[in-house]
Amino acid sequence: MPSTRSPQRHAPIGRAALMAGLCLTLLCGSPAVLAVDACRPRLAADTTELAPMLQQLQASIDRPPTPMPALHTEGTLPHQGIHDQSALARRDLPLMQHAALAWQVTGDPRWLQMARRYLFSWIGTYRPSLNPIDETGFDALIDTYVIIRPALDHLQREQTRNYLRDWAWAYVSAMRHPGHQGSWRNNWQSHRVKLVTLMAVATGDSRLFDAARQLFRQQLDINLLVDGEVLDYRQRDALHYVVYDLQPLLQAALAARTHGEDWYHWRNGRGASLASAIAWLLPYATGQRSHQEFVYSHVQFDAERARAGLPGFSGRFDPHKAGMIYWLAAEWDPALLPLARRLQPTPPSWLPLCTQAAPTRMAARRSRA
């Protein structure tokens, strides 16, 4: 995509820890950025918890990357357009992230080579579309870059950093001139905010991080109602979209926490916060309340997916679908850990492998008003 950078846009963030997605190492290419590792393995290299990831990687080590210049599954059913090809290609993204994590823990150069091969194959091929539903899975690519960044040469670091900066600023430009569609207020915007925040933290662009903070707060203002209910619930009548709306915002908040900012408890003008949204969902996650999904959705595509038999688009909400967001929320509220384990016994791969913020130097504080 054409460059959207300006000479003033790339002042480095002069704070210590960087985390893209949920497990990042710090940028150290600029003297103004401290060279501190924020992704410290909690597990020994031979731990049994790491074994499934290593088995998957071993089975895929000779699998070539399959990047595409464009991906598109949003608004389409299987076998329509490039849906199937996109779904297959997108499998590369978590695979490269797992290879990077495996290298971080074991030091095995095979996983570094694999992660690097996949990363640069995608960067050299993919042209961002600014469709946040098609692109939300690229958080794994951002993770990959920051984890293996110390092993990249200067040109590789600059190539990737510039690619991510251009991508993020293009999103910011679009978000500053939104249209009137609901996608500028609902889960689409939450996924845009996530991607911008992760790329801001990964690239060390302080102006981009400031823009991400502003956009995050704007999204909470327009997306969270007084009791923590999200706009998507009213539009789609589905807890599926409550989860899909909250997860990217939680990921953005975790990235911001590495800068000592607490976005999880930040309250909008109605007094709502991510914490209150997690509390709103709690009775459904525990099974105390149930909900028939998509009965009164205002979106025709929801009915099309239900007729096509896609799982999760009819019937009762499955509380296990909320497991991921309660693992994320438990990073601020450990009292949620028992529920997270009940809903999803195995945590996301990066949680047992990396700390989220070293408490001695990264204790989260409430964001400035």
Side-chain angles (χ1 to χ4, degrees):
M1 63 186 286
S3 175
T4 57
R5 290 176 288 143
S6 70
Q8 300 176 344
R9 202 143 29 197
H10 304 308
I13 298 175
R15 298 192 182 186
L18 294 178
M19 181 181 70
L22 301 168
C23 175
L24 301 181
T25 27
L26 278 183
L27 303 178
C28 53
S30 166
V33 180
L34 301 178
V36 179
D37 186 358
C39 181
R40 297 179 177 179
R42 296 177 184 173
L43 303 178
D46 61 350
T47 183
T48 56
E49 283 101 339
L50 189 60
M53 180 189 294
L54 293 178
Q55 290 172 0
Q56 178 203 31
L57 289 170
Q58 187 64 53
S60 304
I61 193 167
D62 295 322
R63 175 183 177 274
T66 57
M68 295 174 62
L71 298 178
H72 187 58
T73 58
E74 176 271 318
T76 65
L77 296 172
H79 316 312
Q80 292 180 345
I82 61 169
H83 184 287
D84 294 357
Q85 302 97 304
S86 298
L88 285 172
R90 194 177 280 128
R91 294 179 184 179
D92 285 1
L93 302 176
L95 195 61
M96 73 169 79
Q97 180 199 50
H98 289 171
L101 287 169
W103 170 71
Q104 178 106 24
V105 174
T106 68
D108 189 328
R110 294 179 302 163
W111 310 134
L112 172 62
Q113 293 166 8
M114 183 176 181
R116 182 163 45 199
R117 182 172 76 251
Y118 273 67
L119 174 65
F120 286 99
S121 181
W122 274 90
I123 286 177
T125 303
Y126 183 71
R127 303 277 70 87
S129 67
L130 304 188
N131 181 318
I133 307 307
D134 287 334
E135 295 185 336
T136 190
F138 281 91
D139 53 5
L141 181 147
I142 302 167
D143 278 351
T144 300
Y145 163 61
V146 186
I147 294 168
I148 71 171
R149 184 189 180 281
L152 302 179
D153 63 36
H154 175 74
L155 291 178
Q156 290 172 329
R157 289 196 299 268
E158 285 302 300
Q159 177 188 357
T160 312
R161 191 186 304 179
N162 291 339
Y163 180 86
L164 295 176
R165 280 174 172 164
D166 288 349
W167 192 353
W169 278 113
Y171 263 119
V172 171
S173 178
M175 294 161 79
R176 286 174 173 170
H177 302 90
H180 299 291
Q181 298 94 336
S183 62
W184 296 100
R185 302 185 299 276
N186 63 15
N187 67 88
W188 284 53
Q189 188 76 344
S190 296
H191 288 272
R192 292 184 187 102
V193 168
K194 178 194 77 170
L195 289 167
V196 170
T197 305
L198 302 189
M199 287 189 270
V201 172
T203 61
D205 188 326
S206 61
R207 291 187 66 240
L208 187 56
F209 185 78
D210 290 343
R213 183 195 302 110
Q214 179 186 25
L215 291 165
F216 178 92
R217 293 182 175 186
Q218 288 176 356
Q219 176 65 350
L220 260 59
D221 276 335
I222 60 181
N223 187 263
L224 291 190
L225 306 179
V226 64
D227 58 354
E229 179 184 333
V230 302
L231 176 65
D232 293 76
Y233 185 67
R234 295 197 173 182
Q235 291 180 337
R236 313 300 281 269
D237 187 32
L239 297 172
H240 169 97
Y241 272 100
V242 175
V243 171
Y244 195 62
D245 188 45
L246 292 178
Q247 181 173 329
L249 294 174
L250 287 164
Q251 289 181 254
L254 275 171
R257 194 175 72 165
T258 66
H259 291 282
E261 299 192 6
D262 184 352
W263 293 7
Y264 182 75
H265 292 99
W266 184 82
R267 294 185 177 274
N268 66 12
R270 302 181 186 92
S273 64
L274 281 182
S276 65
I278 290 294
W280 182 92
L281 184 62
L282 194 61
Y284 301 100
T286 60
Q288 293 175 349
R289 299 183 66 180
S290 63
H291 183 262
Q292 290 290 327
E293 295 283 81
F294 296 100
V295 174
Y296 300 108
S297 174
H298 299 295
V299 178
Q300 179 61 32
F301 187 54
D302 293 338
E304 294 176 13
R305 288 186 288 193
R307 286 194 296 270
L310 270 64
F313 291 94
S314 62
R316 289 188 178 183
F317 172 70
D318 179 2
H320 294 90
K321 301 297 184 182
M324 169 71 85
I325 67 170
Y326 280 96
W327 275 109
L328 304 187
E331 289 294 305
W332 288 274
D333 184 359
L336 296 172
L337 273 174
L339 175 60
R341 292 191 180 101
R342 177 155 64 88
L343 297 176
Q344 183 176 313
T346 304
S349 58
W350 35 262
L351 271 180
L353 296 178
C354 295
T355 59
Q356 296 308 302
T360 56
R361 57 182 171 78
M362 201 60 67
R365 63 176 180 270
R366 298 293 171 91
S367 294
R368 298 184 298 276

